[in-house]
Amino acid sequence: MFKTLYITLFSLLLSGGAWALDCASAPNTENFFPSGWGIDLANTRFVASENSRINARNVHRLQLKWAYGLSTQAPRFYPLVTSDTFYIGDGENGVLALDRESGCVRWRNQNTAGGAASSIAAADTGFGPTLFFAHREKGVFAIHAHSGETLWQSSISSEPLPMYSGSPLVADGVIYVPISSQEIGLSMLPFYGCCTTSGGMAALDAETGKQLWYVPTIEQEAEVTGKHLLFVQKWGPSGAPVWSAPTLDRERGLLFFGTGENYSAPATDTSDAIFALDAATGERRWVNQFTANDTFNMACVTGGVNCPEEEGPDLDFGAPPLLAKNSEGRDLLYVGQKSGAVSALDPATGERVWSQKFGRGGYLGGIHWGLAADIQRGLLYVPVSDFPAGLELTAAPTPGLYALSLDDGSVQWFAAKDFSEQAQAELGFWPGLSAGIVAADGVVVAGDLAGQLEAYDALSGAVLWRYATAQSFTTVNGREAKGGSIDSHGPLLVDDLLLVSSGYSGVGMKSGNAFLVFQLAEPADAAGSGAR
Amino acid sequence: MPQGRELGDMNAAVWRRVTAAAVDFVTVPSVAAVIMVITGALENAEAWTGGFPWLRVFLLGVVGYLMVNGVLLWRHGQTLGKRLAKIKIVDHESEQVPALWKLIVLRAPFFPLMHVTLIGFWYLLVLDLLIGLRGDRRCIHDWVSGTKVVAADDEN
């Protein structure tokens, strides 16, 4: 007995306690949830009652179940859930399968260390149940859901410096992969000749990772446009990156996605735009640009020589397009931009049906990461950050959550965020809503940049539940964990659970490394089976 | 190869070695940066494919080092910093200017240690220098190349 105790203690010392709760085992993979970043292929971010028992009547009973200390201060994964497992991306530890009850580690895939930067999706392949996700630099990975074994890894050969910062969408044996570019960061180097690469969208075979097609968002080749430091050549056009999840319209066979700004002049008519491609061939069907002449790169933030002469406002589409029916049963494509503009488009033609603007907008939104919709209630939920960063900040910010009519964009309610100096002093940060949000039966859950996680009543906007995540947590894996800004992909609702990562140092937000699991404290009501 | 003058065994003062190192620390990367800008070695996307272009940065450093110090090392056993600080490298046994290949192949590879401190490997430099606290003031790079650093007279 003493020998066992000694070995256990020695193992704990060697591991630093970080892997003290390993429970090597194969997850149950009968059902996976959600299908990807947007909960469904239309990116509605709405969790139906058969998938979550959390609603407006019981959300106040959510309590912290356990916390896990991540190895990164900028977590950027969206979890995948089965009946007994959470799949997460844990920074330098790679992708992990955590036991749903205890948080102990079933397996980990360290080939993927350092960059699991997307939602994790699943599909059946010839290998069996397979997980797919994007590694920021290495490309798309397929790993076995049972064992964590790497099945294949695929990167795009069409661009020299691809950055896989968007979440892939998996459907019908195809993986649609958003492509951004590392040139956004290289532009900060004064000796770098900015910029030549284009954003794009790729389609891969889910069985092999083989590239089926690739479509750049800029078709013309970059050319020399000038010089700086006597010798360094400037190039353009470039940019129009894609860093958000695409949306699939199975009925029309179309794939929709949004683009960001041009990195260098000349500007193109494909930046800050919504694209529609033929999902089977990649053929371009329509493009609708919302902000023209938007040339911007990170040199504009650091005062570098690569900042374009006519610096643009950097008004990307970071929020994936959302496909939903209005009250008349008409399909509309809802898009939200960093400018704060929300528009409804005809998915067949891209023509604008209505458009509204909320908030001040800026480099970091405006609308940053994502919308949600409740078709039954006819509501589109729009989180607005209005973080003070951007070219023109003269207008008053209006951060908070808006509920709009899916029919015409009229405001049904607005839950304003208190961004007074006193509130910011108490919270320690700007409380804007930057992260993606999630909606369920009568409830909308959103996390703010100050780390507050809130559940709103879907019909009134009243706050039904609030939890401050910017604090220290005792964790199941022994690693010290602290919450921070809730940003990027935001919360997930599943069964009687709410999952969220807190902390995001990615773009100067409040860093943190907490993965938090909340659960309804009492037995859930009769709605929903919860079986998964 | 030109032979250096015979010298006494007076080791170079520490402050002179520090001054020389500081001058070399700045001048070599500066010249390498100018070469980089002129040649465009890190200017385009292809250079950065596959992550940080370590090999290109290393080669730029080698070229910069040789441009600044090559002739001085060959003729006088000095880098630019050592020449300004009036010290020189000599063979530990013969006290002559060492063979150029020893200075380039055995001694120069230690030069980047000063710069890797900037990316977190400070302890490698400390390890090299700690050895030099002994009586003969010879650091690891002196031992490896069979050299020592001594005061130079005005004719250098």
Side-chain angles (χ1 to χ4, degrees):
Chain A
M1 180 185 169
F2 285 112
K3 186 180 175 185
T4 306
L5 185 63
Y6 174 79
I7 292 171
T8 305
L9 286 173
F10 188 69
S11 302
L12 276 172
L13 280 173
L14 280 180
S15 68
W19 302 109
L21 295 174
D22 268 359
C23 52
S25 52
N28 183 322
T29 56
E30 280 181 23
N31 289 295
F32 294 94
F33 183 83
S35 70
W37 188 95
I39 306 296
D40 49 42
L41 301 180
N43 279 330
T44 65
R45 277 271 175 145
F46 183 83
V47 182
S49 55
E50 62 264 29
N51 290 318
S52 173
R53 296 197 292 275
I54 295 171
N55 55 45
R57 297 175 299 285
N58 63 22
V59 69
H60 65 279
R61 299 203 306 257
L62 281 171
Q63 290 185 355
L64 185 66
K65 179 181 173 74
W66 50 261
Y68 180 94
L70 299 161
S71 63
T72 172
Q73 295 290 318
R76 190 164 155 163
F77 66 89
Y78 200 54
L80 181 69
V81 180
T82 73
S83 62
D84 62 5
T85 298
F86 301 142
Y87 297 98
I88 69 166
D90 182 13
E92 292 305 317
N93 290 322
V95 168
L96 309 181
L98 299 183
D99 179 83
R100 185 166 150 156
E101 282 305 309
S102 68
C104 68
V105 180
R106 293 181 184 276
W107 55 249
R108 59 180 177 273
N109 179 307
Q110 288 188 301
N111 294 336
T112 54
S118 74
S119 61
I120 302 171
D124 277 326
T125 68
F127 301 103
T130 305
L131 309 182
F132 302 97
F133 55 90
H135 183 289
R136 207 173 167 82
E137 285 91 32
K138 293 180 181 175
V140 177
F141 275 83
I143 63 179
H144 203 288
H146 280 158
S147 64
E149 175 195 1
T150 300
L151 301 172
W152 53 255
Q153 174 193 348
S154 180
S155 52
I156 307 304
S157 56
S158 310
E159 295 288 340
L161 290 173
M163 182 160 67
Y164 306 89
S165 47
S167 290
L169 182 146
V170 183
D172 309 323
V174 178
I175 309 166
Y176 300 97
V177 186
I179 305 294
S180 180
S181 170
Q182 296 170 42
E183 280 195 312
I184 184 69
L186 287 172
S187 65
M188 289 188 286
L189 303 174
F191 52 82
Y192 189 77
C194 179
C195 285
T196 59
T197 60
S198 167
M201 181 63 64
L204 308 182
D205 184 330
E207 293 287 342
T208 62
K210 185 183 169 190
Q211 186 172 308
L212 301 174
W213 51 256
Y214 171 75
V215 175
T217 54
I218 300 173
E219 291 179 333
Q220 60 264 53
E221 288 288 314
E223 296 178 349
V224 176
T225 58
K227 282 184 181 177
H228 64 255
L229 297 179
L230 292 177
F231 296 96
V232 181
Q233 293 178 321
K234 297 179 181 180
W235 295 78
S238 61
V242 186
W243 54 272
S244 57
T247 307
L248 185 63
D249 180 350
R250 273 189 165 135
E251 186 181 322
R252 296 172 185 79
L254 295 179
L255 188 77
F256 307 109
F257 59 89
T259 62
E261 80 287 5
N262 286 119
Y263 294 160
S264 56
T268 64
D269 59 3
T270 55
S271 59
D272 299 341
I274 300 296
F275 272 67
L277 305 182
D278 184 311
T281 64
E283 183 186 348
R284 193 190 287 191
R285 290 295 181 82
W286 56 258
V287 178
N288 187 342
Q289 185 177 49
F290 285 70
T291 303
N293 301 313
D294 184 5
T295 51
F296 175 92
N297 59 52
M298 290 303 288
C300 303
V301 178
T302 59
V305 292
N306 274 319
C307 182
E309 284 175 19
E310 291 189 26
E311 180 184 340
D314 185 24
L315 298 177
D316 312 39
F317 280 97
L322 187 158
L323 184 65
K325 290 186 188 301
N326 68 7
S327 65
E328 296 167 348
R330 178 185 179 186
D331 279 343
L332 290 174
L333 191 66
Y334 299 91
V335 296
Q337 194 180 4
K338 279 187 187 174
S339 63
V342 182
S343 306
L345 313 180
D346 184 325
T349 63
E351 288 174 11
R352 217 175 293 200
V353 177
W354 58 255
S355 190
Q356 305 278 2
K357 188 174 185 302
F358 306 95
R360 176 178 59 186
Y363 296 155
L364 302 171
I367 299 155
H368 200 184
W369 283 91
L371 314 167
D374 182 339
I375 297 170
Q376 203 170 10
R377 289 176 174 80
L379 294 174
L380 179 70
Y381 303 110
V382 180
V384 170
S385 174
D386 276 358
F387 185 82
L391 268 190
E392 295 174 5
L393 298 177
T394 49
T398 56
L401 185 63
Y402 294 76
L404 313 183
S405 163
L406 285 168
D407 291 345
D408 57 11
S410 58
V411 178
Q412 305 302 296
W413 52 259
F414 170 49
K417 281 286 188 179
D418 180 1
F419 61 94
S420 64
E421 287 187 9
Q422 185 186 347
Q424 288 188 63
E426 289 173 4
L427 294 168
F429 210 76
W430 179 263
L433 298 177
S434 171
I437 59 176
V438 64
D441 182 15
V443 68
V444 188
V445 179
D448 70 27
L449 292 173
Q452 295 182 105
L453 189 58
E454 293 175 322
Y456 299 86
D457 183 277
L459 291 176
S460 69
V463 175
L464 304 172
W465 175 81
R466 178 180 288 134
Y467 189 95
T469 69
Q471 56 169 300
S472 296
F473 294 94
T474 302
T475 64
V476 291
N477 60 328
R479 183 190 293 273
E480 187 180 344
K482 195 172 181 192
S485 294
I486 297 175
D487 207 354
S488 66
H489 307 316
L492 172 65
L493 297 172
V494 55
D495 295 337
D496 59 348
L497 303 175
L498 164 59
L499 316 181
V500 72
S501 295
S502 179
Y504 191 73
S505 62
V507 283
M509 298 296 120
K510 202 171 183 175
S511 61
N513 67 326
F515 173 57
L516 306 174
V517 179
F518 296 87
Q519 186 173 34
L520 290 175
E522 298 170 25
D525 56 24
S529 68
R532 188 171 315 290
Chain B
M1 175 182 298
Q3 297 297 299
R5 283 165 43 88
E6 296 237 341
L7 292 162
D9 61 354
M10 190 177 72
N11 289 320
V14 170
W15 73 268
R16 287 184 186 274
R17 292 193 71 169
V18 170
T19 302
V23 170
D24 293 337
F25 179 84
V26 173
T27 53
V28 170
S30 300
V31 170
V34 171
I35 299 166
M36 174 184 66
V37 169
I38 293 172
T39 61
L42 298 176
E43 188 179 314
N44 55 41
E46 283 69 25
W48 295 80
T49 302
F52 188 83
W54 294 104
L55 181 61
R56 288 180 186 232
V57 171
F58 174 75
L59 290 176
L60 281 169
V62 169
V63 173
Y65 188 85
L66 291 176
M67 285 190 72
V68 174
N69 301 319
V71 173
L72 283 171
L73 284 168
W74 174 46
R75 295 182 66 87
H76 304 292
Q78 290 175 309
T79 62
L80 179 63
K82 285 184 171 62
R83 188 163 184 85
L84 294 175
K86 295 186 180 353
I87 57 178
K88 67 188 297 182
I89 306 161
V90 296
D91 186 278
H92 179 58
E93 298 294 333
S94 68
E95 299 199 338
Q96 303 294 310
V97 172
L100 185 62
W101 74 266
K102 277 190 178 179
L103 296 176
I104 300 300
V105 177
L106 299 179
R107 189 180 170 100
F110 285 84
F111 178 70
L113 287 186
M114 287 196 291
H115 297 97
V116 297
T117 56
L118 300 176
I119 56 173
F121 297 98
W122 54 270
Y123 47 86
L124 293 175
L125 181 63
V126 170
L127 191 66
D128 181 31
L129 299 180
L130 274 179
I131 305 297
L133 293 177
R134 297 169 322 116
D136 64 0
R137 294 286 188 269
R138 294 178 73 202
C139 301
I140 291 180
H141 61 273
D142 293 312
W143 281 90
V144 168
S145 55
T147 60
K148 63 182 177 181
V149 179
V150 298
D153 62 19
D154 289 340
E155 289 185 34
N156 280 316

